[in-house]
Amino acid sequence: MSGFGEISEPSTRTAWEDWDDVLQKEAYPELRLQKTMEPPTEIDTFIILEGRYLYDRVKNQHELVHVNSIPEVNLHLYKSKLENNYICIIKDYNLVQSSEIVELLKEYIVTSSDVIAVLTKPLVEYQVAQFVNEEYVIRSLNTSTQTSRNINCKYPSLEQPNIIAGVAAGALSLREIVDKPAVILVCYIEHPEEQKIYELQDLLDKLHVIPKVDQANRSSILNSNLYI
């Protein structure tokens, strides 16, 4: 028997309330650039290359000077020897940390006259009504303000319901907010680790990231003479 104002709970309950489960939040390391340095006051183009294929393809280029890094998210920042361009490469990071990474790169993103991002994704994630019988598909996504950079490449716009996320998407959103031009080229690849996308290599050449594409080394195990 219970008195007035008392709450009696049954000894057993078949339903759990929200507070019954203690959610354990995953701990992420605090991110910071390795070197403390002032960003340049003028940048012609800030280029973001996101994905394992692009990361491995660019990392050891002699035409680039290493500027800074965020090792926890596999991010490296380079300065081009050929032009007043900066190149950011990143791979295998947790999307939860995208906003934090964009914030650390904010001065580079906002300062640049143009921002161009290239993003690789598995072809199975490309959603269209018709069957895709190709090894890769390249689509573009632009800010309202069009880029003035002539990269000689016109690709169809990314169709709905396809979406992008991560650092490249965050940079595009930031450029839209500050009313500056940016473009993302999304390359859906059948085998992201296989270095046979010559159109993508040619695009990196046009951006002056990797010159002499036809003489580039291909280190992928899929292109080696090793058989199992």
Side-chain angles (χ1 to χ4, degrees), residues 12 21 24 42 54 70 115 120-121 134 144 154 195:
T12 60
D21 293 326
Q24 295 183 353
E42 292 184 3
L54 297 167
I70 308 177
V115 169
T120 58
K121 294 171 68 70
E134 301 176 13
S144 301
K154 298 295 183 181
Q195 300 183 4

Side-chain angles (χ1 to χ4, degrees), residues 120-186:
T120 58
K121 294 171 68 70
L123 186 59
V124 294
E125 295 184 12
Y126 180 56
Q127 301 182 48
V128 285
Q130 66 274 20
F131 177 72
V132 178
N133 187 24
E134 301 176 13
E135 291 187 353
Y136 67 92
V137 173
I138 300 179
R139 294 293 183 264
S140 65
L141 195 61
N142 298 270
T143 54
S144 301
T145 304
Q146 298 296 310
T147 178
S148 60
R149 176 72 181 267
N150 182 19
I151 56 177
N152 297 320
C153 55
K154 298 295 183 181
Y155 297 103
S157 297
L158 183 65
E159 308 94 332
Q160 295 182 352
N162 295 289
I163 61 173
I164 60 171
V167 174
L172 186 78
S173 299
L174 179 57
R175 295 286 289 188
E176 180 72 22
I177 292 172
V178 298
D179 195 25
K180 290 187 176 182
V183 57
I184 295 180
L185 300 178
V186 188

Side-chain angles (χ1 to χ4, degrees), residues 45-55 57-58 86-91 93 115-121 136-141 151 153 155 164-169 171-172 182-189 197 199-210:
T45 306
F46 187 64
I47 302 170
I48 301 173
L49 305 177
E50 187 173 334
R52 183 177 302 178
Y53 170 89
L54 297 167
Y55 183 98
R57 195 71 192 84
V58 172
Y86 281 77
I87 296 94
C88 172
I89 61 174
I90 185 171
K91 69 169 184 177
Y93 66 96
V115 169
I116 299 174
V118 184
L119 171 67
T120 58
K121 294 171 68 70
Y136 67 92
V137 173
I138 300 179
R139 294 293 183 264
S140 65
L141 195 61
I151 56 177
C153 55
Y155 297 103
I164 60 171
V167 174
L172 186 78
V183 57
I184 295 180
L185 300 178
V186 188
C187 184
Y188 293 91
I189 310 177
I197 312 301
E199 187 171 357
L200 190 56
Q201 293 180 354
D202 185 54
L203 175 60
L204 297 179
D205 186 21
K206 291 176 181 176
L207 296 176
H208 293 173
V209 177
I210 299 180

Side-chain angles (χ1 to χ4, degrees), residues 7-23:
I7 299 176
S8 280
E9 292 188 9
S11 58
T12 60
R13 291 179 295 167
T14 57
W16 291 94
E17 300 293 347
D18 293 340
W19 52 82
D20 289 322
D21 293 326
V22 178
L23 299 178

